[in-house]
């Protein structure tokens, strides 16, 4: 799935939630649950999240974006994407 317009956070979050559910094998992950620091996902999954963001939302994840806060929850990842698509 590729998002072409500038989506709002409420449009991004369900797409991120679905991706995280597939990646983790857990369809019921809460949006604020710690994914990496909570042991739900590992560092390889973080690399997959970067690829997902760049391909799906057609944005570049920069070095400055590579903080745990941006990838440790559905909310964090959706917020990162929202910021990047708004640029």
């Amino acid at each position: 799935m590729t998002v072409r317009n500038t989506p709002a956070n409420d449009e991004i979050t369900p797409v991120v939630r679905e991706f995280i559910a597939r990646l983790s094998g857990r369809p019921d992950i809460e949006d604020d649950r710690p994914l990496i620091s909570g042991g739900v996902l590992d560092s390889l999954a973080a690399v997959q999240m970067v690829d997902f963001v760049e391909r799906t939302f057609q944005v570049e994840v920069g070095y400055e974006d590579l903080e745990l806060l941006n990838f440790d929850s559905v909310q964090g990842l959706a917020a990162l994407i929202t910021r990047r698509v708004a640029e």
Side-chain angles (χ1 to χ4, degrees):
M1 173 181 184
T2 300
V3 178
R4 299 192 190 284
N5 297 329
T6 304
N9 190 281
D10 61 340
E11 297 170 314
I12 292 170
T13 300
V15 176
V16 170
R17 190 181 302 121
E18 180 183 330
F19 172 75
I20 296 299
R22 284 192 321 252
L23 191 60
S24 68
R26 298 180 180 185
D28 58 346
I29 294 286
E30 301 86 10
D31 290 354
D32 60 346
R33 176 161 183 161
L35 299 172
I36 297 170
S37 66
V40 175
L41 298 174
D42 59 18
S43 59
L44 179 59
V47 173
Q48 292 172 305
M49 285 190 274
V50 170
D51 183 62
F52 162 77
V53 169
E54 291 183 337
R55 289 177 184 262
T56 304
F57 296 95
Q58 301 173 351
V59 298
E60 184 176 330
V61 175
Y63 179 75
E64 67 278 5
D65 298 319
L66 299 178
E67 298 180 19
L68 182 59
L69 182 65
N70 290 329
F71 294 91
D72 203 30
S73 68
V74 170
Q75 287 175 340
L77 192 54
L80 168 65
I81 295 165
T82 301
R83 287 191 307 273
R84 294 312 244 163
V85 298
E87 293 178 344

